[in-house]
């Protein structure tokens, strides 16, 4: 199993989370952006605390967003390496996180003001609704070897910017219901 691909996939999700949570983390006196990157671009924890929008912060965010995009590209082959019944969940996760990253990229300075919400969070909060969702159930193996039933509520949409067909959705554990 190519662990570099797995590692890159994990990094892309984690880096996306770090970028999304800048404001929330600094309010808790935490900074998860790499120290070497903060120093390289001349951004301090005080700048983050003060929500200081600057060319330095913009350059830092551009660098981190491009790094995350590279991790997504490098990890893109992981889904095909998974068991067939695990692939729909991985596709949904990749779609959700990559859309979140692109939402951050549209207005990177927003992470200084608020936690940028994913499409899934907005859907769960009732901001977006659709009558065209499909529901799939699949049994997936956990890291510990046990199996869990998941429900994937999703829909296919066309990306307005690229014209590409994308899967948007929510995955949740429904094991209790299946017993």
């Amino acid at each position: 199993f190519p662990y570099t691909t797995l590692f890159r996939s994990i990094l892309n999700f984690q880096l996306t989370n770090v970028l999304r949570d800048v404001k929330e983390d600094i309010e808790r006196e935490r900074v998860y952006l790499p120290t070497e990157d903060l120093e390289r671009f001349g951004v301090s924890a005080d700048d983050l605390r003060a929500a200081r929008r600057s060319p330095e912060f913009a350059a830092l965010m551009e660098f981190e967003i491009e790094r995350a995009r590279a991790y997504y590209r490098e990890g893109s082959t992981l889904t095909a390496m998974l068991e067939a019944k695990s692939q729909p969940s991985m596709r949904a996760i990749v779609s959700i996180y990559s859309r979140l990253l692109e939402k951050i990229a549209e207005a990177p300075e927003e992470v200084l003001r608020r936690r940028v919400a994913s499409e899934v969070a907005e859907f769960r909060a009732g901001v977006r609704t659709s009558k065209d969702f499909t529901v799939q159930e699949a049994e997936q193996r956990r890291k510990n070897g046990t199996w869990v039933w998941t429900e994937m509520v999703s829909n296919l949409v066309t990306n307005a910017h690229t014209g590409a067909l994308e899967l948007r959705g929510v995955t949740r554990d429904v094991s209790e219901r299946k017993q």
Side-chain angles (χ1 to χ4, degrees):
F1 190 85
Y3 287 100
T4 301
T5 301
L6 177 62
F7 180 70
R8 293 296 189 198
S9 294
I10 292 167
L11 278 177
N12 64 25
F13 302 139
Q14 187 61 39
L15 183 53
T16 301
N17 282 338
V18 167
L19 297 175
R20 175 196 64 197
D21 297 340
V22 168
K23 177 163 177 53
E24 191 174 286
D25 290 337
I26 198 67
E27 288 174 347
R28 293 183 172 122
E29 296 298 320
R30 297 184 220 153
V31 177
Y32 293 111
L33 290 164
T35 303
E36 64 190 28
D37 296 345
L38 290 167
E39 291 171 358
R40 175 180 168 194
F41 289 96
V43 176
S44 68
D46 288 336
D47 293 330
L48 299 176
R49 235 178 258 105
R52 196 167 293 126
R53 298 175 189 199
S54 66
E56 293 81 8
F57 179 76
L60 169 68
M61 287 299 290
E62 182 179 339
F63 175 80
E64 299 299 350
I65 289 165
E66 288 307 315
R67 174 185 278 174
R69 286 175 175 151
Y71 289 157
Y72 278 96
R73 285 189 300 274
E74 292 172 30
S76 66
T77 58
L78 178 64
T79 301
M81 297 177 202
L82 300 174
E83 293 181 25
K85 61 183 166 185
S86 296
Q87 290 180 10
S89 292
M90 180 55 92
R91 276 196 225 66
I93 291 167
V94 169
S95 176
I96 290 163
Y97 273 85
S98 61
R99 289 197 50 77
L100 174 58
L101 179 65
E102 293 312 312
K103 191 168 183 180
I104 292 167
E106 289 171 9
E109 68 284 352
E110 282 299 302
V111 301
L112 292 169
R113 290 185 341 100
R114 64 183 177 87
R115 182 180 199 209
V116 176
S118 70
E119 299 281 331
V120 173
E122 290 175 356
F123 174 73
R124 285 182 178 165
V127 174
R128 300 198 174 159
T129 59
S130 172
K131 62 182 187 292
D132 300 321
F133 281 90
T134 59
V135 178
Q136 298 174 318
E137 290 184 348
E139 195 174 20
Q140 295 181 292
R141 188 189 331 243
R142 293 181 176 161
K143 290 179 188 177
N144 66 9
T146 62
W147 290 86
V148 59
W149 277 96
T150 58
E151 176 184 74
M152 293 152 284
V153 181
S154 60
N155 72 336
L156 291 173
V157 296
T158 303
N159 183 309
H161 301 291
T162 65
L165 198 59
E166 298 175 350
L167 176 72
R168 293 186 192 172
V170 178
T171 303
R172 63 181 172 178
D173 182 340
V174 294
S175 299
E176 288 183 15
R177 188 175 74 200
K178 295 296 284 183
Q179 294 176 357

